[in-house]
Amino acid sequence: MAKEIKNYTEEKKSGYLNMELLRFTTAGSVDDGKSTLIGRLLYDSKAIFQDQMEAIEIASERKGDEEVNLALLTDGLRAEREQGITIDVAYRYFATPKRKFIIADTPGHIQYTRNMVTGASTANVAVILIDARNGVLEQTIRHAYIASLLQIPHIIVCVNKMDLVDYNKENFENIRNDFNKFSAKLNVKDVRFVPVSAKVGDNIVDRSENMDWYNGPTLLYLLENIHISNDYNFVDCRFPVQYVIRPQSKEFPDYRGYAGRVAGGVFKINDKVKILPSGFTSVIKSIDTMGESLEEAFPPQSVTITLKDDIDISRGDMIVRATNGPNIGQDIDLMVCWFNEKPLQLKGKYAVKHTTKDVRCMVTEIKYKVNINNLENNTEDKTIGLNDIGRISIRTTKPLLYDSYRKNRITGSIILIDEATNETVAAGMIL
Amino acid sequence: MEKNHINHLLELEAESIYVIREVASQFEHPTMLFSGGKDSIVMFHLARKAFWPAKVPFPLLHIDTGHNFKETIEFRDNLVKKTEAKLIVGYVQDAIDSGKSIEEKGVNASRNILQTTTLLDSIEKNKFDAAMGGARRDEEKARAKERFFSHRDEFGQWDPKNQRPELWNIFNGKKNMGEHFRVFPISNWTEMDIWQYILMENIEIPKLYFTHKREVFNRDGIWLANAPFMQLKKDEQIEVRDVRCRTIGDITCTGVTLSKANTLEDIIQEVAATRTTERGGRADDKRSEAAMEDRKKEGYF
């Protein structure tokens, strides 16, 4: 199909079919102006419609705001509008001729850290806001730490409300230095800094005329141009089988296809592959989508693979390259972020979801809790409660086919589920 | 585009297909809501792609208000026949006849809200444990906060403050007896993505989406189609105009757009240039600032 699309675009010469998709998450403390920043991005990039604008103009007037409150664009639920806060992750969309953007707008209050982790889990870029008047706060450290823990490849720090510090260069540079000082302890590779005023519109979409001393790009320019094509692992082939397709129809009496989404590497027709956990080997016969066959498949494509041999394969199995497999094991070390009021129980049993596999596990050890104020490991107080982050070991009922989260965000991630309430209680990043 | 890279439409497609396959794997009796509108047509197209060359392994469910554009029903029946899909129809009229639902009165009367009762009844009657819907997060601000897998209690209610966190592409569809899920495979698509994808995939859609002459009247700035069960106010007058539908829903509350767009390319240009949201023409959303949130909490999709 990839081929057909190429021909299609060549025929049509329509630029929009060559757009890339970029997902980013925004994080900031309460009142850092995050909603305003998103409102500004949407407004200045003309993603806001007239009826939406009219609705918030009326609402701003009713609330007695002097100017149109762009934050109202993103506050979706009634309680949020009433209290002027954001409760849950909200997703926003806009596009420029270069890219389509999905924003996971996450609240900054401490009690909603789980939402930031949720938003961060699929993001290519984290936009972290800092109020120019307040500088780096405890919550900034938390946000940067979560971005590094979830291995978001790129971080953009927006020093906001520059208009309230007279667009002072030193102010911006001090914050940048403070951030770099503590982020040196984190595993973040690509950090950029932009001085902005979301309210006024400085350096969001248009270059600011108020900060001659800043020669760098605007926020939108960065979002449009950051290099994201290496954000997936294209080396280590991983194909978790999601669903087995057996039409048993007149037209396809013997068709047996393994449907799933490529989690890593590039699979090609005639590749020698191994099926895990059985260990049987075979050769890829075809890579199918509706009515068409592909030469190759790579992340994040959803395809159906057929093999030359008849092997018993089911959901939860994994197709890999014969010479390059994942780890196979039942004792797994991971970092967890805890989402539930009921703390993590040592020796407690939880349901586990990992790629397309469901197993159960027991927590065998709590190694430490991370003190996210100074990023030190606390080995004394090991209670992992709501919004805490820690390192634990689990033993699963069946072996998992996994990679470290650092190597592959898909095969390296799990969730824990409370078996009594069915709630998702933790996000786990395998070490 | 670089090597090993797919465009935004193919990435959205891959995500939606993954979600649809998860539903077929995690639930025993899933269904896919089908209204005959472009979003559900695209969603059904994605479902066919997800399971090809096998047939779609779940039935379609249409909640029929009885106030349809007749072209929608014709289109639905044709599509079902062509794809050998299974279709179940829940009639709002049945709930009205049995006294379970009470019809709204007055000029702005609509059966849109009544869909909720019939939807919940159909889910219970057919023992569906998951219903996929073609809602998109860009449509409305309460929808912007929806998960892909949206948990509903035994009354079908949505609790926006207590949603399950949804991480990576791991979807937790575990539930207790009597509870069910709403799943939104095309959550991340925008109106523009839908149109571009229809063009790219050459998907057939009802003729209503293209320009045609129709009897319409103007109410509070919105053009509504004339139909036998529409009640006109005194100062409203029927005129014949060139119009097309931007969304297709219950005829009583779906506005039409004055347009001469004749091809998909025309429509895409129109969507790119337009300055109002597509739900801007939906009278059901205009009832109050939190109209959608309230309906969703009660079990609307």
Side-chain angles (χ1 to χ4, degrees), chain A residues 53-114:
Chain A
M53 200 60 204
E54 280 165 11
I56 68 157
E57 275 168 11
I58 294 167
S60 302
E61 222 179 273
R62 213 179 282 152
K63 284 179 72 173
D65 294 341
E66 276 174 35
E67 290 167 61
V68 173
N69 185 350
L70 290 173
L72 291 174
L73 276 169
T74 57
D75 294 336
L77 303 172
R78 186 181 281 144
E80 296 175 327
R81 283 193 299 277
E82 283 165 5
Q83 297 165 39
I85 53 157
T86 316
I87 289 173
D88 205 277
V89 189
Y91 294 89
R92 311 283 159 201
Y93 304 84
F94 71 102
T96 65
K98 266 195 143 149
R99 280 181 177 164
K100 170 193 163 94
F101 298 96
I102 302 180
I103 314 173
D105 179 14
T106 63
H109 346 293
I110 282 178
Q111 67 267 38
Y112 291 115
T113 293
R114 70 175 205 174

Side-chain angles (χ1 to χ4, degrees), chain A residues 46-249:
Chain A
K46 305 196 168 44
I48 287 174
F49 293 106
Q50 206 176 326
D51 52 328
Q52 288 174 315
M53 200 60 204
E54 280 165 11
I56 68 157
E57 275 168 11
I58 294 167
S60 302
E61 222 179 273
R62 213 179 282 152
K63 284 179 72 173
D65 294 341
E66 276 174 35
E67 290 167 61
V68 173
N69 185 350
L70 290 173
L72 291 174
L73 276 169
T74 57
D75 294 336
L77 303 172
R78 186 181 281 144
E80 296 175 327
R81 283 193 299 277
E82 283 165 5
Q83 297 165 39
I85 53 157
T86 316
I87 289 173
D88 205 277
V89 189
Y91 294 89
R92 311 283 159 201
Y93 304 84
F94 71 102
T96 65
K98 266 195 143 149
R99 280 181 177 164
K100 170 193 163 94
F101 298 96
I102 302 180
I103 314 173
D105 179 14
T106 63
H109 346 293
I110 282 178
Q111 67 267 38
Y112 291 115
T113 293
R114 70 175 205 174
N115 291 325
M116 172 158 182
V117 174
T118 303
S121 71
T122 51
N124 306 96
V125 175
V127 174
I128 295 177
L129 268 94
I130 297 177
D131 187 324
R133 297 167 303 174
N134 303 333
V136 171
L137 298 176
E138 191 184 300
Q139 288 192 49
T140 315
I141 298 177
R142 180 181 281 258
H143 295 147
Y145 177 67
I146 290 173
S148 80
L149 187 69
L150 280 121
Q151 294 274 298
I152 300 181
H154 318 275
I155 293 179
I156 302 172
V157 178
C158 285
V159 179
N160 191 25
K161 307 198 183 180
M162 288 301 292
D163 54 317
L164 300 182
V165 294
D166 297 328
Y167 298 105
N168 186 311
K169 181 183 178 187
E170 210 175 310
N171 203 303
F172 170 71
E173 285 180 343
N174 286 343
I175 291 172
R176 185 172 61 190
N177 293 339
D178 286 351
F179 190 96
N180 281 334
K181 232 179 271 166
F182 85 83
S183 73
K185 291 189 228 169
L186 302 174
N187 179 45
V188 288
K189 285 164 229 132
D190 180 20
V191 188
R192 330 268 178 119
F193 296 85
V194 189
V196 305
S197 166
K199 199 169 160 213
V200 181
D202 294 302
N203 289 334
I204 305 290
V205 170
D206 301 315
R207 288 200 62 84
S208 169
E209 286 168 12
N210 299 311
M211 289 175 272
D212 297 341
W213 48 266
Y214 176 74
N215 297 316
T218 62
L219 173 61
L220 184 67
Y221 183 89
L222 281 176
L223 291 172
E224 279 189 308
N225 291 286
I226 273 182
H227 194 67
I228 54 167
S229 54
N230 290 326
D231 289 2
Y232 285 108
N233 178 332
F234 290 110
V235 177
D236 309 291
C237 289
R238 306 284 186 262
F239 187 80
V241 174
Q242 194 185 3
Y243 191 92
V244 180
I245 294 177
R246 298 202 60 198
Q248 295 175 301
S249 59

